[in-house]
Amino acid sequence: MRILLLTAYYPPELGAPQTRLRETARRLLARGHRVRVVTGPPHYPDGVVRPGYPAWRPTRERIDGLPVVRLPMLARPNGGLRDRLIDQGSFAAAALAALPEVRWSDVVVVESPPLALGASATWLGLAGRRPYLFHVADPWPDFPIAMGALQSPLLQRAAYAVEDLAYRRAALVTTVTPGLVELLGAKPGAAGKVRLLPNGVDTRRFEPRLAPAEARRRLGWPETTLTLVYAGSVGQAQGLATLLEAMTPLAGRDIALHVVGQGIERERLAADARRRGLDAVRFEPSVPADRVPTVLAAADAILVLLRRGPLYEQALPTKLVEGLAAGRPLIVSADGEAAAIVRSSRPAAGLTSPAEDAAALREAIVELAGRSPRSRAAMGRAARAVAESAYDREAIVERLEGYLASIREPRRSR
């Protein structure tokens, strides 16, 4: 097949979605398909376009042997709602110029968020007469409404109208958990066409046999009794204020926390950690995808946090599946799907606590600190087994390939 990937996120930007999309495109290419990517100039998350990439004119390059078309847009930081609307809306408008790429393709994969790409995909699908698969990594506008970021009734109605249009015109809609399949399937525009496509991970990238102390030495991190690692977005959805509250009474317990990543909440949380006197809490910059395995290998336990609420209960964070692949115990402060995945293995792949419950999270940290190295190693092996059996990237790309084949129309019939 000729497959076009339309996405606002793509390397050399850093981040879990960027890594997932790049690995998906590479695997589709390796399976014999021709793949092209249409995206914007790299600028996530700070809104600064990277050197060598003009913001105001289209460019073409090749990454991993794949043609990548970059369209001009109004790059803004991944901050408040206004910046996001400008950033995502401008890319969605620029995406209308991708009609020649759409006509080249047999099928189009559209990544959401941003939701605004649903409107672009609708027009491109009609004008180019090509089917598109709409992949919903996070359900918008439900998420920003639940977080209180999208409060205007007028904007809410407009967002739901775009969502309904994107679903109605899509040949298939995919999303990452069974709960979200059920949620989206209840929407009139998506009824009968929602399929499961979990976040996957390339288990071969990770190094579960690398000793944590050796990984910390490579990173220049100090040695402690227990090293905790949170690697991922530092935004509103994660609720990392709960983590700082949990760590405050543990000051002086020789427990180190490394927060690795960027996001709208990072500076505020770093200032709060300083105010609390949490010297063992270090905020590290984002790292390239090829260094993520070493960062996770340096952990005695990997942290995953989500806020409380029905939508968060159905989420499957990429940091969770990468933590499983790293072969380290997980501490999950969340309700629903993420916690159930960790608890369901035998033995359990880690410890869990309710979302936004700092006292319960602290108890889980203290309990893990008291576990023997043998017990922690057993948790890590269980985590790795879950990643290999349920979230292997190759198997998930094969599933995506089947979905695309099912909606592809024979070129001669157009």
Side-chain angles (χ1 to χ4, degrees):
M1 290 178 285
R2 296 182 179 183
I3 302 170
L4 180 67
L5 176 58
L6 179 60
T7 172
Y9 306 104
Y10 206 72
E13 291 175 342
L14 304 179
Q18 292 84 343
T19 300
R20 168 174 57 83
L21 292 165
R22 180 179 190 173
E23 291 186 358
T24 297
R26 291 171 62 182
R27 277 167 172 72
L28 288 170
L29 181 67
R31 297 177 76 88
H33 305 291
R34 298 178 65 185
V35 184
R36 290 184 183 178
V37 178
V38 172
T39 187
H43 66 282
Y44 177 88
D46 54 12
V48 178
V49 176
R50 303 298 180 261
Y53 291 92
W56 298 104
R57 62 179 176 84
T59 60
R60 292 178 180 267
E61 63 177 328
R62 298 186 78 86
I63 298 177
D64 304 320
L66 298 168
V68 178
V69 179
R70 298 190 182 272
L71 301 175
M73 60 180 291
L74 298 172
R76 303 291 297 170
N78 186 41
L81 181 62
R82 181 179 178 182
D83 281 332
R84 288 194 179 193
L85 289 177
I86 293 172
D87 185 274
Q88 298 177 358
S90 67
F91 177 68
L96 299 178
L99 184 57
E101 308 296 334
V102 170
R103 286 178 171 160
W104 165 86
S105 71
D106 294 316
V107 289
V108 182
V109 178
V110 182
E111 177 78 7
S112 175
L115 174 62
L117 273 185
S120 308
T122 298
W123 183 85
L124 290 168
L126 289 171
R129 295 191 296 173
R130 300 294 188 269
Y132 69 87
L133 180 149
F134 198 66
H135 180 67
V136 181
D138 293 314
W140 279 54
D142 296 308
F143 255 130
I145 290 174
M147 288 191 296
L150 185 60
Q151 298 181 356
S152 164
L154 180 61
L155 287 178
Q156 289 181 10
R157 287 195 296 271
Y160 277 123
V162 171
E163 179 193 45
D164 183 71
L165 182 65
Y167 293 168
R168 287 186 185 278
R169 298 304 309 179
L172 277 181
V173 178
T174 55
T175 192
V176 297
T177 66
L180 288 179
V181 169
E182 183 177 353
L183 173 71
L184 300 186
K187 296 175 181 283
K193 61 173 79 170
V194 186
R195 305 289 186 268
L196 179 65
L197 191 70
N199 291 334
V201 61
D202 182 357
T203 56
R204 296 170 300 179
R205 292 177 52 228
F206 293 85
E207 303 177 277
R209 295 181 180 177
L210 177 62
E214 171 60 21
R216 291 192 283 269
R217 187 191 64 77
R218 294 181 186 180
L219 295 169
W221 291 2
E223 194 59 42
T224 59
T225 301
L226 185 74
T227 296
L228 306 173
V229 173
Y230 173 90
S233 298
V234 187
Q236 295 177 336
Q238 289 73 39
L240 291 190
T242 301
L243 180 55
L244 295 188
E245 187 177 345
M247 289 292 295
T248 299
L250 301 178
R253 291 281 298 269
D254 199 30
I255 297 175
L257 167 62
H258 295 263
V259 178
V260 183
Q262 300 291 130
I264 188 175
E265 292 283 281
R266 176 188 164 94
E267 295 307 318
R268 185 186 69 80
L269 291 171
D272 189 25
R274 290 192 295 270
R275 181 182 62 80
R276 292 171 179 264
L278 296 176
D279 297 331
V281 176
R282 298 175 56 175
F283 284 79
E284 314 279 359
S286 296
V287 298
D290 60 358
R291 291 190 64 200
V292 170
T294 304
V295 167
L296 296 183
D300 294 311
I302 295 168
L303 291 159
V304 177
L305 289 90
L306 289 170
R307 289 177 59 185
R308 184 187 302 117
L311 284 176
Y312 301 104
E313 293 175 12
Q314 310 303 335
L316 178 61
T318 299
K319 63 179 70 66
L320 174 62
V321 294
E322 290 189 340
L324 294 169
R328 297 292 188 264
L330 283 97
I331 298 179
V332 175
S333 172
D335 303 321
E337 186 81 16
I341 290 169
V342 171
R343 288 196 299 260
S344 62
S345 66
R346 292 293 178 270
L351 303 176
T352 64
S353 64
E356 298 187 77
D357 187 334
L361 176 57
R362 181 166 56 252
E363 290 176 6
I365 294 171
V366 172
E367 179 181 345
L368 193 72
R371 291 286 186 101
S372 67
R374 183 175 180 179
S375 174
R376 292 184 202 169
M379 286 182 173
R381 288 192 297 271
R384 177 72 179 191
V386 171
E388 292 175 338
S389 63
Y391 301 106
D392 180 68
R393 178 91 65 194
E394 192 66 34
I396 291 170
V397 170
E398 183 177 356
R399 183 183 299 190
L400 171 62
E401 182 184 43
Y403 292 155
L404 295 177
S406 72
I407 66 174
R408 175 191 181 186
E409 299 173 6
R411 299 181 70 85
R412 290 175 296 177
S413 70
R414 297 195 190 115

